[in-house]
Amino acid sequence: MPTFGEDVSIFANEDALREDWLPETLPEREAELEQLHYALAPATRGSTPHNVFLYGKTGQGKTAATSAKLTELEDYAENQADLDLTVVTFSCENITSSYTLASKLVLDITGSEPRGYDQHEVFSRLFDALDAIGGTILLVLDEIDNIGMSDDILYSLPRARSKGQLTEARVSVIGISNDFQFRDNLSPKVKDTLCDEEIEFTPYNADQLTSILRRRVDVGFVDGVVMDGTIPYCAAKAAQEKGSARQAIRLLYKAGELALQRDRESVDEALVDEAYGVLERERIEDGLRNLTVQDTLCLAGVVSLECKDAAPGRTKHVYREYERVSDMTGDSTLVQRRVRDHLQELDMQGFLMMQTHNRGPEGVHYYTFSLNVDLDTTLAVLADNPRYVSIADTLRTTARRHDRL
DNA sequence: ACTCCACAGGAATTGAGGGGTG
DNA sequence: CACCCCTCAATTCCTGTGGAGT
């Protein structure tokens, strides 16, 4: 039994390895920071900063860069008597439309949420709230791609002042997006205004990830704990996937924790490999647990194909399995059209692998689906839930018969 | 050559569920 | 209370297209 306080010293400052740690410098993002700087600079001259749109995959330093630059700007503004600057940062997680975004923004600023009103009224309350703050307002909308096609607010915000809906405040929008396509799908009128400055964050390569990791290790770990080759190894592993700094750091942190558990005094490549496995499993487990009933049943349809060694299978075949599975649980059976949508969502979340098969350049195409995560783990997680335990058992038996386990 | 089928995906609609106003 | 706002999952209908069958 471990005792508190008797840990081998591995971590010097564990906070530096956590998700929410914001580095003070981002040498790998010099160019992007400079672009951001010039976009915001008008604020220091008493004018409205440009609207900026930052895009790039997760873990590329978009949020960190924005936060670093804005802190710098806020510090500057603090010492200038005639500069009234407010930064409002808002994460659009779970926000699916302009309407909810506006209403949640009002909640964020004023503390009360307008609901049940029409969109026009909600927008105008948002403008009132912004006017009440006054001065120059930088509105940072993180993960803005969540609002999808409904982008009215992105059109209205930058124009509110010229339309007289805002009188006291000057508002600039800084949109941060993980989704490259989001930009293309914006309506043309929004693209015009919001995207007058665009900053793209391309994925870090292995060398850049190595430098980033090295700085974190210097702060986070005790000197000499992390072996020489471990950092580049970790970086290479992360670069191979998405080039995400977040993932690279998470990996190293997990490896450190494993080292602690094992009473090791150093972190080596084998531990990184192990940490990788642990994180992957956690990812699947969390993901599966958060799926809705129908999502899970659709997934189970594909799992069923896998167990019969019939994957990848076409939509039709998945649907047949889905019908069997949902019969077993007694849940309502959806129409095929809807199941297709669920399958596509599961593909986007990485649980399924959806392949397009084309026949002819433009015309008829069809999809096949296969499981993109470990079958055994998936069955285990399904069996954890009483609702699906009978499915999991049946499928496991089938899988054994077909030598899939 | 013609018709029918399979399939993806867009659009419109519905009904439940959250909440408003007068 | 009647009637309004918006969201979300789901259904229904429709369109476009190549391939199979006749």
Side-chain angles (χ1 to χ4, degrees):
Chain A
M1 197 57 191
T3 320
F4 286 118
E6 289 198 347
D7 293 342
V8 192
S9 58
I10 289 233
F11 298 120
N13 179 2
E14 213 165 322
D15 286 344
L17 301 168
R18 291 190 184 274
E19 301 259 313
D20 50 10
W21 172 269
L22 290 167
E24 280 158 31
T25 57
L26 293 104
E28 288 76 21
R29 292 301 185 199
E30 288 274 318
E32 289 83 359
L33 280 167
E34 195 180 322
Q35 261 184 287
L36 191 54
H37 181 91
Y38 287 117
L40 300 180
T44 62
R45 304 189 290 267
S47 172
T48 315
H50 296 289
N51 296 307
V52 194
F53 196 74
L54 294 87
Y55 55 103
K57 298 213 172 104
T58 52
Q60 302 304 329
K62 298 186 297 295
T63 312
T66 314
S67 143
K69 209 65 204 169
L70 287 177
T71 312
E72 213 176 286
L73 184 60
E74 277 180 300
D75 287 349
Y76 170 83
E78 205 131 295
N79 301 317
Q80 306 294 116
D82 52 346
L83 195 55
D84 178 11
L85 181 97
T86 314
V87 175
V88 178
T89 308
F90 191 80
S91 164
C92 304
E93 208 180 346
N94 297 326
I95 293 203
T96 51
S97 71
S98 279
Y99 182 89
T100 14
L101 174 54
S103 111
K104 294 290 180 193
L105 278 172
V106 174
L107 171 65
D108 196 55
I109 298 170
T110 67
S112 76
E113 186 181 13
R115 296 182 70 175
Y117 304 104
D118 67 12
Q119 177 164 301
H120 190 79
E121 176 63 22
V122 175
F123 278 21
S124 104
R125 292 201 186 195
L126 173 59
F127 296 140
D128 291 347
L130 291 168
D131 256 346
I133 298 176
T136 302
I137 302 177
L138 284 163
L139 187 53
V140 183
L141 301 175
D142 206 346
E143 300 184 54
I144 183 70
D145 43 308
N146 282 323
I147 68 165
M149 298 291 178
S150 140
D151 54 12
D152 312 8
I153 192 169
L154 298 181
Y155 176 72
S156 303
L157 267 173
R159 267 163 235 259
R161 196 176 168 86
S162 62
K163 280 193 179 164
Q165 291 160 306
L166 276 176
T167 49
E168 304 303 316
R170 305 164 174 278
V171 180
S172 300
V173 177
I174 302 180
I176 304 180
S177 165
N178 299 323
D179 180 2
F180 291 91
Q181 288 199 329
F182 176 68
R183 187 191 155 279
D184 300 329
N185 291 338
L186 286 172
S187 50
K189 53 181 191 178
V190 173
K191 227 181 282 182
D192 263 10
T193 26
L194 183 64
C195 308
D196 48 37
E197 282 304 322
E198 286 182 5
I199 307 178
E200 184 184 343
F201 287 65
T202 48
Y204 293 120
N205 62 33
D207 288 342
Q208 291 171 317
L209 286 172
T210 305
S211 327
I212 294 170
L213 278 179
R214 206 152 258 153
R215 285 195 302 277
R216 293 292 186 101
V217 167
D218 283 346
V219 184
F221 283 89
V222 170
D223 281 353
V225 164
V226 179
M227 311 275 282
D228 263 358
T230 309
I231 295 177
Y233 184 73
C234 228
K237 234 171 149 76
Q240 230 170 48
E241 291 209 2
K242 286 181 298 184
S244 153
R246 183 176 303 147
Q247 193 197 4
I249 292 162
R250 202 183 280 158
L251 198 54
L252 202 54
Y253 184 29
K254 192 60 159 186
E257 287 190 316
L258 288 176
L260 263 189
Q261 283 173 23
R262 309 277 159 77
D263 272 348
R264 305 268 193 84
E265 270 143 41
S266 62
V267 178
D268 58 14
E269 296 175 20
L271 275 176
V272 171
D273 281 337
E274 208 176 317
Y276 184 84
V278 173
L279 288 175
E280 181 65 7
R281 192 179 173 103
E282 277 174 10
R283 193 180 69 82
I284 300 173
E285 287 176 352
D286 286 359
L288 282 183
R289 259 190 272 280
N290 290 325
L291 290 179
T292 62
V293 176
Q294 288 298 342
D295 274 328
T296 313
L297 294 174
C298 291
L299 183 78
V302 179
V303 172
S304 174
L305 279 182
E306 288 284 353
C307 292
K308 289 179 173 168
D309 214 2
R314 294 175 63 147
T315 313
K316 189 170 54 178
H317 302 130
V318 176
Y319 187 66
R320 271 210 281 278
E321 296 306 312
Y322 160 81
E323 285 181 307
R324 279 189 40 223
V325 165
S326 60
D327 258 7
M328 282 170 63
T329 61
D331 287 294
S332 60
T333 305
L334 302 180
V335 113
Q336 188 171 332
R337 177 73 184 80
R338 190 81 251 282
V339 169
R340 229 161 59 208
D341 286 343
H342 279 291
L343 290 173
Q344 287 183 6
E345 277 164 35
L346 290 165
D347 167 66
M348 297 228 284
Q349 292 175 57
F351 293 114
L352 295 183
M353 167 82 112
M354 183 172 94
Q355 275 180 303
T356 316
H357 299 259
N358 276 310
R359 291 203 279 217
E362 294 257 321
V364 165
H365 62 297
Y366 62 92
Y367 295 129
T368 56
F369 298 90
S370 51
L371 196 63
N372 199 24
V373 288
D374 184 63
L375 180 59
D376 194 29
T377 311
T378 311
L379 287 171
V381 176
L382 281 179
D384 264 358
N385 188 330
R387 187 171 202 143
Y388 311 118
V389 68
S390 58
I391 302 179
D393 286 347
T394 318
L395 293 181
R396 196 175 277 279
T397 319
T398 320
R400 288 223 185 78
R401 219 175 21 237
H402 288 84
D403 274 338
R404 297 282 291 145
L405 285 176

